[in-house]
């Protein structure tokens, strides 16, 4: 063919992370067919949806089967019933947002990846290690990325004073609680980021996918920081909070007060983008999402979150006893540990697989600053988590 392709794709690291993990596990299983392998590598939820959600979904499906209640294309930005439920969810978190700033989507990943469509070629600031979508989508768009390394000294919560000099207005991605490190910014740190963004004319894209796991006294939204409505977009997900990884629903908040230097309202650009390239989230899914935010839904989902939290604290307390340094596990389903004995991420992966039959995720897969670290997740069963912890105690 003589067409031109987007050569920016050549800049993207081929991340063979999960296929590499799968290949190593497959090889090991071939040689050890009876091995009881425990998988603590996945970032996917495992508990089923509570009945308050499945019943709402079933009811909506029945409505779709009747002429009186059938619905066709959904509104591009979400049904009012779900947008209102999201506004009221924020109210419960102590934050006022307007319904017009809410854009319902099929998940946070799409919005995080697509938001570059409305932005020009800006300088980009991304903490390292982090969820790889921010880096890859900006590379695809030809942008220059400034990585801001996390480490044990900054608690994997890099701050603006660690930025190289000379960067002015930038698009800044913050993920808090963070995947993979589980670290979460406190209110004061978020205030510092917001005032940096306002002073430099920057935009923060705040990935709040793990908000429901916050258990300490921390901000549940960037909009609890005064001034954030002038400089921040927040992107959220029903995936981890409500078990929607397979159902697919999320939302993005773009306040009407986000306006570019040349007078463009970011929410108007996003409306236009979505109206052109997105046809909305299905009615049964939006009814399920509404049920997740209902009083009963929140109570039921809290039980699931508590279940994962118990797993996280089981892993964390073993690491405490073993004097292995880590972040996360308190406001997050992820535990990010320093590989013992100075091992590299993949060497530690092999050691855990071969000597304890535990599968985790090598930190290097989330960015260069992840080398020497390792992610374990709390999304397994409690029984398997306890079993894995026993093996870790014996091995390490
Ligand atoms: N943001 C972060 C930080 C994530 O870890 C994930 C999924 O693992 C997502 C977003 C994706 O969320 P969704 O399932 O809503 O697309």
């Amino acid at each position: 063919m003589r067409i031109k392709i987007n050569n920016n794709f050549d800049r993207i690291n081929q991340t063979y992370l999960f296929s590499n993990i799968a290949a190593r596990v497959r090889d090991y299983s071939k040689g050890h067919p009876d091995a009881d392998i425990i998988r603590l590598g996945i970032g996917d939820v495992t508990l089923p949806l509570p009945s308050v959600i499945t019943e709402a979904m079933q009811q909506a499906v029945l409505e779709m089967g009747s002429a009186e209640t059938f619905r066709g294309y959904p509104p591009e930005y979400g049904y009012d019933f779900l947008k209102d439920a999201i506004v009221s969810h924020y109210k419960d978190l102590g934050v006022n947002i307007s319904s017009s700033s809410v854009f319902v989507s099929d998940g946070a990943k799409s919005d995080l990846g697509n938001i570059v469509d409305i932005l020009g070629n800006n300088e980009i600031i991304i903490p390292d290690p982090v969820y790889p979508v921010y880096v890859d989508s900006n590379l695809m768009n030809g942008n220059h990325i400034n990585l801001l390394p996390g480490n044990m000294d900054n608690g994997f919560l890099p701050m603006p004073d660690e930025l190289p000099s000379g960067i002015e207005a930038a698009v800044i991605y913050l993920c808090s609680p963070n995947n993979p490190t589980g670290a979460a910014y406190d209110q004061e740190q978020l205030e510092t980021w917001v005032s940096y963004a306002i002073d430099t004319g920057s935009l923060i894209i705040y990935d709040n996918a793990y908000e429901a796991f916050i258990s300490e006294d921390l901000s549940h939204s960037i909009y609890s920081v005064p001034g954030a409505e002038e400089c921040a977009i927040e992107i959220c997900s029903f995936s981890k909070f409500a078990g929607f990884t397979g159902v697919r629903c999320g939302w993005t908040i773009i306040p009407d007060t986000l306006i570019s230097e040349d007078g463009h309202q970011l929410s108007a650009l996003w409306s236009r983008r979505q109206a052109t390239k997105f046809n909305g989230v299905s009615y049964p899914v939006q009814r399920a999402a509404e049920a997740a935010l209902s009083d009963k839904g929140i109570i039921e989902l809290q039980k699931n979150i508590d279940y994962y939290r118990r797993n996280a604290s089981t892993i964390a307390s073993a690491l405490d006893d073993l004097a292995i340094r880590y972040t996360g596990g308190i406001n997050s389903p992820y535990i990010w540990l320093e590989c013992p004995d100075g091992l590299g991420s993949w060497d530690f992966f092999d050691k855990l697989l071969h000597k304890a039959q535990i599968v985790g995720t090598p930190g290097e897969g989330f960015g260069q600053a992840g080398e020497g670290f390792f992610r374990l997740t709390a999304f397994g069963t409690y029984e398997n988590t306890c079993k894995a912890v026993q093996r870790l105690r014996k091995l390490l």
Side-chain angles (χ1 to χ4, degrees):
M1 281 201 289
R2 298 177 59 204
I3 53 129
K4 295 189 177 68
I5 53 112
N6 179 352
N7 286 112
N8 289 319
F9 277 69
D10 293 338
R11 300 171 63 210
I12 300 171
N13 265 343
Q14 292 306 330
T15 57
Y16 295 116
L17 179 68
F18 288 101
S19 51
N20 194 349
I21 290 174
R24 290 184 192 218
V25 174
R26 223 178 11 251
D27 283 353
Y28 179 77
S29 302
K30 240 186 240 160
H32 306 81
D34 299 326
D36 174 21
I37 295 173
I38 301 176
R39 288 161 208 275
L40 297 183
I42 47 158
D44 198 352
V45 293
T46 50
L47 293 173
L49 300 171
S51 59
V52 58
I53 292 175
T54 53
E55 281 162 15
M57 213 189 280
Q58 280 169 327
Q59 178 56 37
V61 169
L62 290 177
E63 286 176 41
M64 296 296 269
S66 152
E68 293 75 43
T69 47
F70 169 77
R71 296 177 189 235
Y73 284 121
E76 288 102 343
Y77 319 127
Y79 283 107
D80 282 342
F81 63 77
L82 180 54
K83 290 174 35 152
D84 291 346
I86 291 169
V87 169
S88 125
H89 170 64
Y90 274 92
K91 209 165 265 165
D92 293 342
L93 300 177
V95 170
N96 281 322
I97 51 154
S98 70
S99 175
S100 65
S101 66
V102 179
F103 296 85
V104 172
S105 73
D106 62 351
K109 189 182 207 174
S110 316
D111 288 359
L112 287 161
N114 293 331
I115 199 78
V116 292
D117 280 4
I118 66 163
L119 302 169
N121 289 113
N122 297 287
E123 283 295 319
I124 306 293
I125 295 170
I126 302 179
D128 174 16
V130 84
Y131 187 52
V133 173
Y134 324 146
V135 168
D136 289 350
S137 57
N138 277 288
L139 288 177
M140 286 174 191
N141 228 31
N143 288 333
H144 177 253
I145 298 175
N146 303 274
L147 290 174
L148 193 50
N151 49 54
M152 271 299 177
D153 291 336
N154 61 20
F156 287 96
L157 295 168
M159 296 299 294
D161 60 3
E162 297 166 59
L163 281 168
S165 57
I167 304 175
E168 294 190 350
V171 177
I172 303 162
Y173 288 77
L174 298 180
C175 177
S176 179
N178 180 284
N179 177 14
T181 70
Y185 286 110
D186 65 22
Q187 177 80 11
E188 205 178 308
Q189 290 170 315
L190 290 180
E191 283 170 10
T192 305
W193 271 114
V194 166
S195 61
Y196 173 82
I198 291 173
D199 290 348
T200 54
S202 297
L203 170 71
I204 293 174
I205 296 179
Y206 192 72
D207 184 345
N208 205 11
Y210 294 93
E211 173 273 317
F213 286 87
I214 293 174
S215 61
E216 292 182 315
D217 185 20
L218 302 176
S219 304
H220 285 258
S221 163
I222 191 70
Y223 302 116
S224 63
V225 177
E229 65 287 351
E230 311 288 332
C231 67
I233 288 174
E234 180 161 296
I235 299 185
C236 298
S237 171
F238 284 92
S239 285
K240 314 293 159 117
F241 139 66
F244 272 40
T245 52
V247 176
R248 310 302 310 140
C249 196
W251 73 87
T252 286
I253 308 292
I254 307 188
D256 295 340
T257 38
L258 294 186
I259 298 175
S260 69
E261 210 167 27
D262 56 1
H264 284 97
Q265 209 173 27
L266 267 53
S267 57
L269 296 179
W270 185 246
S271 297
R272 191 70 186 85
R273 190 266 169 217
Q274 292 296 79
T276 302
K277 297 192 182 181
F278 184 59
N279 249 345
V281 177
S282 79
Y283 176 65
V285 166
Q286 292 199 53
R287 281 294 184 200
E290 179 193 31
L293 291 173
S294 67
D295 291 345
K296 199 168 166 213
I298 296 282
I299 291 169
E300 288 305 310
L301 290 172
Q302 194 57 49
K303 293 180 195 159
N304 288 5
I305 290 164
D306 287 345
Y307 180 91
Y308 297 134
R309 275 207 185 117
R310 182 170 62 152
N311 289 347
S313 70
T314 305
I315 299 171
S317 62
L319 297 178
D320 284 334
D321 294 346
L322 293 163
I324 293 173
R325 298 201 295 173
Y326 66 92
T327 54
I330 299 169
N331 301 301
S332 162
Y334 299 124
I335 292 104
W336 178 252
L337 59 111
E338 192 171 34
C339 300
D341 308 321
L343 285 180
S345 298
W346 281 107
D347 291 337
F348 187 62
F349 174 90
D350 288 334
K351 178 170 173 169
L352 277 196
L353 175 61
H354 288 257
K355 302 243 164 82
Q357 294 75 49
I358 296 170
V359 179
T361 313
E364 185 227 32
F366 299 97
Q368 239 174 18
E371 174 55 313
F373 289 85
F374 201 76
R375 190 189 78 173
L376 292 174
T377 89
F379 287 130
T381 63
Y382 180 61
E383 293 68 28
N384 274 345
T385 305
C386 291
K387 216 192 296 180
V389 159
Q390 271 174 7
R391 295 183 193 175
L392 284 179
R393 285 180 185 279
K394 216 159 123 194
L395 177 72
L396 307 174

